[in-house]
Amino acid sequence: MEQLKVALANNRGQIQLLVDDQQVGEMEISVHNGQLTVYHTEVNPAYEGKGYAKLLLSKLVEYARENNLKIVPLCPYVHGQFKRYPEL
């Protein structure tokens, strides 16, 4: 079963994707002054091609909206998805 959670400590942390209690993907993030900066997105190679990066991005956007944060996409994957789908 898929589980997504935000793990922040001292304004830095991750959005983690767990499948059957095993971490299979993550986004490295920080939150500061109303901005959520995403630095890196990674999915375990054994789980690539299953839409997990998109799930992580969905959680990132949801968290930012819930907390009224502006996303700063330094991660190439997130930056590319925002360019491709500006409605995100």
Side-chain angles (χ1 to χ4, degrees):
M1 182 170 162
E2 297 160 3
Q3 178 187 5
L4 289 156
K5 68 179 186 176
V6 177
L8 283 174
N10 299 323
N11 297 328
R12 293 212 35 116
Q14 301 175 331
I15 296 177
Q16 301 170 341
L17 170 62
L18 299 117
V19 175
D20 298 327
D21 295 324
Q22 178 180 349
Q23 185 172 326
V24 299
E26 68 183 26
M27 285 182 150
E28 294 177 20
I29 63 171
S30 69
V31 177
H32 186 68
N33 289 337
Q35 294 185 325
L36 187 160
T37 303
V38 58
Y39 301 99
H40 181 69
T41 301
E42 186 171 344
V43 173
N44 182 316
Y47 293 89
E48 288 178 355
K50 297 182 180 186
Y52 288 144
K54 189 173 183 178
L55 279 173
L56 285 162
L57 179 58
S58 172
K59 183 63 174 180
L60 175 84
V61 170
E62 175 186 320
Y63 183 82
R65 286 183 178 147
E66 288 174 355
N67 293 280
N68 199 31
L69 299 169
K70 179 182 178 195
I71 297 173
V72 179
L74 298 182
C75 166
Y77 170 75
V78 175
H79 180 73
Q81 291 299 306
F82 282 1
K83 283 188 97 61
R84 189 172 184 185
Y85 304 104
E87 66 277 7
L88 289 173

